[in-house]
Amino acid sequence: MDIKEIRELTGLNQTDFAKKYNIPLRTYQNWEYGTRKPPEYVVTLLRMVVDMEYSK
């Protein structure tokens, strides 16, 4: 699962997702647009947190 799919599970837009998880917006956008690749541990941690918060 990529970073965009994780965000889409939350129903949040890019700005709100970045703000909620304290990620600089430009950094998040670079990850989602493929300009830069997020570290695997960040993807794993975000997936775990989103699963816990939104799978209720």
Side-chain angles (χ1 to χ4, degrees):
M1 178 167 281
D2 68 20
I3 200 86
K4 182 177 182 179
E5 292 171 324
I6 294 170
R7 177 182 62 80
E8 288 174 341
L9 290 174
T10 68
L12 298 172
N13 61 35
Q14 289 180 349
T15 302
D16 292 338
F17 186 87
K19 194 177 295 184
K20 179 175 177 78
Y21 296 106
N22 202 27
I23 303 167
L25 179 59
R26 180 60 63 199
T27 297
Y28 179 79
Q29 289 172 331
N30 285 335
W31 292 345
E32 190 168 304
Y33 298 144
T35 307
R36 299 191 64 120
K37 185 172 172 30
E40 275 306 309
Y41 74 90
V42 171
V43 175
T44 300
L45 290 172
L46 281 171
R47 177 64 194 263
M48 290 170 56
V49 170
V50 166
D51 280 347
M52 286 189 304
E53 291 182 353
Y54 290 91
S55 66
K56 296 176 183 176

